[in-house]
């Protein structure tokens, strides 16, 4: 039986486990604490950073968890298990692993995808002083995905209308409209925000403090959801033919760049994503970025869960019994309880992190 002790039942537990394991294994821990907000049990909300290796390493690999709140449970377990795996013996010279724990701590603690302002942190890294990117297709999506009721009949009607829209505008336009990110409807899905979120600020503070000195920098942003059950997929946004894309292929193999296993038929044009902000902040470094998704359910169920998460925030309180069931399904979608899934995810995450550290250390 695999050791699943790195998995936690709450944000506070995950945080304590991460910090304790980091300290016990010789990593140094830093915290970026939200000035006012607390978790559901009054616990502090922090982006915690563990530096494993030299603080001034010229090669720095960041692995982050919880960009999408609830997905942090799996990412946190991956980070904690990696810390507990004897990293000091495997770390190449002049190389550090810097773990960002709970990039969106409010969402993690409240078991939600977005921030306290219903913002998808992974769409929030845009220039808020300039006009926002437009996503005109979302105007048609919004009334479909925001029903007041979320019973079975309401969900069936939502999917009937989404199918109709997809058939009419095509797969790629549908993906961009649905989940590319939007800045027009604050109570909608994949909302990028009308201001920089605290989590955005904290992330950039942490990058300045722990990565800005590096000559070679890389980031693995750990997610769950997209991809086949018990397997992982990579999303690489570096352009075709770029040196960064070649590095991603060298480190993680062909599947790092060929979208193997991605269940989307056509990827959206994403706006304001975290790993792009990371690269933009480090103009003098050689930067490699990758998103890793540990697959859970099929795409339709991921869409259902994201719409359900939005319904919970705006309508759930008026339907407490239904909300409990819906939230349980939501959590199960992004943090499966099946021990086989957890064991597979841990094993794969260790290899992905080790490949990253070996790659940047070469
Ligand atoms: Zn995610």
């Amino acid at each position: 039986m695999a050791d699943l002790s790195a998995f936690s039942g709450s944000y506070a537990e995950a945080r304590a486990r991460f910090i304790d394991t980091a300290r016990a294994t010789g990593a140094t821990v830093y915290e970026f604490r939200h000035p006012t907000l607390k978790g559901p049990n009054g616990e502090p909300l922090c982006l915690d950073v563990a530096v494993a290796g030299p603080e001034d390493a010229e090669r720095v690999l960041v692995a982050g968890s919880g960009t999408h709140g609830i997905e942090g449970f799996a990412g946190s377990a991956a980070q904690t298990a990696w810390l507990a795996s004897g990293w000091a013996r495997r770390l190449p010279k002049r190389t550090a692993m810097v773990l960002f724990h709970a990039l969106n701590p409010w969402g993690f603690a409240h078991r939600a995808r977005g921030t306290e302002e219903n913002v998808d942190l992974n769409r929030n890294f845009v220039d808020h002083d300039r006009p926002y990117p437009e996503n005109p297709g979302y105007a048609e999506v919004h009334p479909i995905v925001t029903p007041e009721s979320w019973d079975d009949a309401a969900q069936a009607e939502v999917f009937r209308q989404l199918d109709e829209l997809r058939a009419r505008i095509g797969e790629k336009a549908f993906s961009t409209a649905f989940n590319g990110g939007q800045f027009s409807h604050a109570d909608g899905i994949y909302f990028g925000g009308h201001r920089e979120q605290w989590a955005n600020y904290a992330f950039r503070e942490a990058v300045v403090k722990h990565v800005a000195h590096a000559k070679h920098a890389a980031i693995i942003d750990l997610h769950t959801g997209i991809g086949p059950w018990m397997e992982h997929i990579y999303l690489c946004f570096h352009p075709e033919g770029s040196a960064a894309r070649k590095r991603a292929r060298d480190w993680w193999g062909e599947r790092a760049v060929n979208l193997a296993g991605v269940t989307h038929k056509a990827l959206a044009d994403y706006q304001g994503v975290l790993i792009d902000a990371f690269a933009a902040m480090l103009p003098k470094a050689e930067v490699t970025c990758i998103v890793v998704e540990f697959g859970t359910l099929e795409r339709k169920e991921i869409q259902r869960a994201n719409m359900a998460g939005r319904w919970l925030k705006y309508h759930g309180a008026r339907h407490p019994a239904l909300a409990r069931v819906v939230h349980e399904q939501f959590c199960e979608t992004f943090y499966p309880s099946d021990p086989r899934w957890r064991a597979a995810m841990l094993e794969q995450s260790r290899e992905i992190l080790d490949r990253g550290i070996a790659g940047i250390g070469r």
Side-chain angles (χ1 to χ4, degrees), residues 67-68 71 113 122 222-224 293 334:
T67 299
H68 288 139
E71 300 173 22
R113 173 186 167 89
N122 216 24
L222 297 167
H223 290 250
T224 60
E293 294 263 3
F334 295 106

Side-chain angles (χ1 to χ4, degrees), residues 72-92:
F73 281 98
S76 171
Q79 293 172 319
T80 297
W82 187 87
L83 284 167
S85 70
W87 58 266
R89 293 191 304 274
R90 303 200 301 282
L91 211 57

Side-chain angles (χ1 to χ4, degrees), residues 299-312:
R299 187 186 182 200
K300 183 177 178 183
E301 297 311 314
I302 304 296
Q303 292 175 336
R304 188 192 308 277
N306 283 329
M307 293 185 282
R310 183 259 165 214
W311 177 83
L312 283 166

Side-chain angles (χ1 to χ4, degrees), residues 236-250 257-258:
C236 176
F237 303 128
H238 292 302
E240 205 76 62
S242 62
R245 196 175 176 91
K246 184 177 178 307
R247 281 193 299 277
R249 185 192 288 118
D250 289 347
V257 296
N258 69 4

